[in-house]
Amino acid sequence: MNTPLAVLIMIVAAFSLYLSRQRTQENGFFHGRSAEGDAPGLITLIFSQVTTWIFARSLLNAAILGFYYGIWGTLAYAAYYLSFFTGALIIDHLRFRQGHTSIQAFLHERFGHWGTRCYNLVIGVRLVSEVFANLLVIGILFGVAGSQAYTLAVLAVSLVTLIYSMLGGLHASLRTDLFQMLVFLAVLGLLLIFAVAGGHFSIALLDFKPFAISDPGPILLLVALLQVWSYPMHDPVMMDRGFLADRRTTWRSFIHAGWISTLCILAFGSLGVIAGAGAFSGEDMNQALTRLLGEWPMLLFSATLVISAMSTLDSTLSSSAKLVVMDMKLVPARVNNGRIAMVLFMLLGLALVFWGNKDLFSAVAVSGTASMYLAPVIFFSLWGNQRDIPLWSYLGSFVVALGGAVLYFTESSGYSALLGEAHKYTKLLWISLAVLVIGCLMFQIGSLSARRPRPANSRMQVQP
């Protein structure tokens, strides 16, 4: 086992446990309030937003995309962080202009029970997948899948994170996010200093993969620009933090989190670009970075992934508890029921980790496509404030997006070849564009049909 990395995990875990104060009141556990009933401040919200969205899978994906597709791959992944700006607009309209207390309340008002059922299904799957994906990265850092080191690392991190999350819920998550973000920034800063001191940053990195619109990097950038309109609304961790503070604090937290997280993703992803530009034939990203930077900088590289994984896990668990208890109202609104929900979501994530993860990791990547059923909801029902959209338009958009997500999964995993031999990101662009256009057409047709005047009663009256 990687002993220095294990020691770092224990230190971060110990401080996180120390910062987690037990909460027995629903206001603190589910809504992040202090014992005095105060909402979280601006800095806490900003850092919590950033560290919960710069999760281990995101950092690793940004670096891997940089390794294979150069700066354009990293820019493509960073483009997803424009979601903070669209997310700010979504929260401002939904909460402060229309007065809704949750996404579910808005969808129920517009589309009834089916509105919330479809949404809860999508975000429930996303929450389980986030637990799975972050634990998977932890395991990979310590050993090959199935090894003793892999298993112990996954179980240890899941247990520690579950314990301090169960103690304080969302309030504990906010407090530990602040601490973990400060540690993350310090470690990332040291890692970048090593890279700069070694002379690895240069303008030549931009030429490592020249820009060509048909290449996977620029194609994925176009995909991101299509998906960022709906992506934030299907992320319960981001949306939950939009209902904690006053309007000005909430707006500023989203805007500042947007540019800070984008810079962090670009900085970390640039390490993948460095590895790709300097890799020998047959070397993977980790091998190239270890040769270029050395062993200790690679320890820092792994440390950033561990810290971000722990931060995302506690936030995911607190959102899972809120989803089951407060939003879906499956059980009475009690703290212990929230803790039970946390245990269940953690067990589901662990089951996926040990089930066999090759295809499951690919499945996680389709959530952005599934979320696109919400794009017309945002355009027409939220920002357009159209209240006459029929249920069939909503359900049609949901079915099309879900079908698109399944199609991308089967195409990218090699189970089908219905879209030919194009690169998987080209296929994703076609699918995303089709889902967006068809969904918006369904809402437009639904809106026009709802406004069409009904024919007057043409039956002739019988004269007396």
Side-chain angles (χ1 to χ4, degrees):
M1 179 176 280
N2 191 328
T3 303
L5 191 57
V7 171
L8 175 68
I9 291 178
M10 288 189 286
I11 293 172
V12 173
F15 273 98
S16 298
L17 284 168
Y18 173 76
L19 291 170
S20 301
R21 297 174 182 175
Q22 186 170 3
R23 285 287 174 266
T24 57
Q25 299 297 319
E26 288 81 7
N27 214 24
F29 193 88
F30 295 111
H31 301 291
R33 299 274 175 169
S34 67
E36 295 76 25
D38 297 327
L42 177 61
I43 298 299
T44 298
L45 270 182
I46 292 172
F47 279 12
S48 181
Q49 290 272 39
V50 173
T51 191
T52 51
W53 250 58
I54 303 179
F55 40 92
R57 180 169 59 88
S58 293
L59 292 172
L60 200 56
N61 281 348
I64 290 172
L65 288 170
F67 179 76
Y68 286 109
Y69 309 123
I71 191 63
W72 310 110
T74 296
L75 281 173
Y77 205 85
Y80 277 99
Y81 288 77
L82 295 173
S83 295
F84 277 108
F85 306 115
T86 53
L89 290 171
I90 290 169
I91 288 293
D92 194 68
H93 277 261
L94 190 144
R95 179 187 174 193
F96 297 108
R97 298 191 187 188
Q98 300 185 22
H100 296 288
T101 56
S102 67
I103 306 294
Q104 284 86 348
F106 163 72
L107 292 174
H108 186 270
E109 180 193 88
R110 300 300 173 89
F111 304 107
H113 290 298
W114 279 107
T116 55
R117 286 168 183 164
C118 295
Y119 180 74
N120 289 335
L121 173 63
V122 170
I123 66 171
V125 171
R126 177 171 174 80
L127 287 169
V128 173
S129 74
E130 290 306 328
V131 175
F132 151 72
N134 284 280
L135 290 177
L136 182 62
V137 174
I138 292 290
I140 291 172
L141 291 174
F142 282 88
V144 297
S147 66
Q148 185 179 39
Y150 174 96
T151 303
L152 288 175
V154 169
L155 293 177
V157 170
S158 60
L159 181 62
V160 170
T161 310
L162 181 61
I163 289 172
Y164 75 74
S165 298
M166 290 174 66
L167 279 175
L170 182 54
H171 184 262
S173 176
L174 292 168
R175 287 173 61 86
T176 55
D177 284 347
L178 180 60
F179 159 69
Q180 290 160 354
M181 184 62 194
L182 292 172
V183 176
F184 172 84
L185 289 175
V187 174
L188 180 60
L190 284 174
L191 184 56
L192 292 175
I193 289 172
F194 275 109
V196 172
H200 299 296
F201 280 104
S202 66
I203 298 298
L205 289 178
L206 298 177
D207 296 328
F208 160 52
K209 290 286 185 179
F211 179 84
I213 191 64
S214 59
D215 284 350
I219 289 292
L220 188 58
L221 178 59
L222 294 175
V223 172
L225 294 177
L226 290 177
Q227 294 188 352
V228 292
W229 301 101
S230 57
Y231 205 93
M233 197 173 185
H234 100 299
D235 187 278
V237 174
M238 177 190 283
M239 291 293 99
D240 285 350
R241 281 152 180 74
F243 291 90
L244 303 180
D246 61 84
R247 187 174 191 174
R248 185 168 184 268
T249 300
T250 300
W251 178 266
R252 293 171 68 196
S253 72
F254 272 78
I255 300 304
H256 290 307
W259 68 264
I260 293 172
S261 59
T262 301
L263 290 180
C264 289
I265 283 291
L266 288 174
F268 197 87
S270 66
L271 298 172
V273 180
I274 290 172
F280 294 149
S281 178
E283 274 190 325
D284 62 24
M285 184 180 72
N286 282 351
Q287 291 169 336
L289 275 180
T290 301
R291 176 175 53 80
L292 292 169
L293 301 181
E295 293 290 341
W296 281 102
M298 283 305 293
L299 173 63
L300 297 177
F301 182 90
S302 300
T304 56
L305 296 176
V306 169
I307 295 166
S308 62
M310 293 181 69
S311 177
T312 303
L313 282 170
D314 61 46
S315 299
T316 301
L317 293 176
S318 64
S319 288
S320 301
K322 180 176 176 290
L323 171 66
V324 172
V325 178
M326 305 301 292
D327 298 328
M328 297 179 70
K329 297 179 173 59
L330 296 179
V331 291
R334 291 197 288 266
V335 169
N336 283 339
N337 287 332
R339 290 172 176 147
I340 293 171
M342 288 181 174
V343 173
L344 291 177
F345 271 79
M346 181 61 84
L347 289 176
L348 286 171
L350 283 169
L352 295 182
V353 170
F354 295 113
W355 179 278
N357 51 57
K358 178 181 181 294
D359 290 335
L360 289 171
F361 195 75
S362 299
V364 172
V366 307
S367 66
T369 308
S371 77
M372 293 190 75
Y373 96 91
L374 291 166
V377 176
I378 295 166
F379 297 153
F380 290 82
S381 299
L382 182 61
W383 292 344
N385 200 23
Q386 295 187 26
R387 298 175 179 271
D388 55 358
I389 303 295
L391 178 60
W392 71 261
S393 297
Y394 179 85
L395 293 177
S397 179
F398 175 77
V399 171
V400 169
L402 205 60
V406 172
L407 177 60
Y408 175 64
F409 172 66
T410 59
E411 290 285 313
S412 62
S413 301
Y415 294 118
S416 68
L418 300 175
L419 300 180
E421 299 299 322
H423 190 276
K424 64 178 182 179
Y425 292 150
T426 301
K427 295 179 180 181
L428 181 58
L429 178 62
W430 295 342
I431 293 171
S432 298
L433 189 59
V435 168
L436 183 62
V437 170
I438 294 172
C440 288
L441 280 175
M442 286 183 172
F443 268 63
Q444 182 63 41
I445 294 170
S447 176
L448 292 174
S449 65
R451 295 177 186 177
R452 183 179 302 166
R454 296 180 180 179
N457 191 344
S458 59
R459 289 181 300 174
M460 296 192 56
Q461 305 241 346
V462 178
Q463 296 293 329

